[in-house]
């Protein structure tokens, strides 16, 4: 059975050198988790590349201080999980729109559509 290759994700880190204290420490951390961090041509922007699981591990290590912005950039670039919102509403009879949005990260419109569909099915 062939091993499926997971796609590499690339995250642009603007003004990388100006926003961190020690470049070597960040590069060592990134390399330790199997990712790469390289400068984009001659600009002040850098590119962080890795698999989703590797980037999550790096993000967890950078949740403090001046590196928090890197963790936030990683979080924004990661694919969002998908949920069957209607099934969630059907499973929880007391589900509100606000609670659905908070628990799944869906939009207000998606939550309203899911609740409407659930009410039609019930």
């Amino acid at each position: 059975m062939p091993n499926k290759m997971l796609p590499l994700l690339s995250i642009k880190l603007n003004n990388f050198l100006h926003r961190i204290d020690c470049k070597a420490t960040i590069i060592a951390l990134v390399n330790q988790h199997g990712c790469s961090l390289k400068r984009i041509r001659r600009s002040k922007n850098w590119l962080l590349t890795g698999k989703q699981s590797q980037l999550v591990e790096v993000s967890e290590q950078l949740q403090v201080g001046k590196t928090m912005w890197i963790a936030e950039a990683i979080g924004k670039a990661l694919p969002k999980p998908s949920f069957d919102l209607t099934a969630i509403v059907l499973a929880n009879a007391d589900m509100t729109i606000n609670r659905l949005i908070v628990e799944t990260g869906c939009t207000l419109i998606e939550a309203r559509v899911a609740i409407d569909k659930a009410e039609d099915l019930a």
Side-chain angles (χ1 to χ4, degrees), residues 8-111:
L8 291 178
L9 300 172
S10 296
I11 301 160
K12 186 177 176 185
L13 302 175
N14 296 326
N15 293 323
F16 175 71
L17 290 179
H18 298 285
R19 297 173 76 179
I20 60 166
D21 291 332
C22 181
K23 172 183 84 167
T25 305
I26 303 295
I27 291 175
L29 174 73
V30 166
N31 289 337
Q32 175 185 357
H33 290 286
C35 299
S36 69
L37 182 63
K38 298 186 185 208
R39 189 173 181 180
I40 300 173
R41 292 184 286 290
R42 296 179 63 188
S43 73
K44 51 189 165 178
N45 303 326
W46 288 58
L47 195 65
L48 175 62
T49 307
K51 296 178 184 169
Q52 181 176 349
S53 59
Q54 296 168 329
L55 292 170
V56 168
E57 291 173 4
V58 169
S59 175
E60 290 170 357
Q61 298 291 317
L62 299 174
Q63 293 286 334
V64 293
K66 290 188 175 184
T67 59
M68 186 66 172
W69 69 274
I70 300 172
E72 290 171 357
I74 292 171
K76 289 178 185 175
L78 293 175
K80 305 296 180 240
S82 61
F83 299 99
D84 184 359
L85 300 175
T86 306
I88 293 171
V89 173
L90 288 171
N92 301 306
D94 60 341
M95 180 67 70
T96 64
I97 289 178
N98 287 335
R99 185 171 150 210
L100 186 61
I101 292 170
V102 169
E103 290 184 8
T104 64
C106 67
T107 65
L108 177 63
I109 294 171
E110 292 169 335

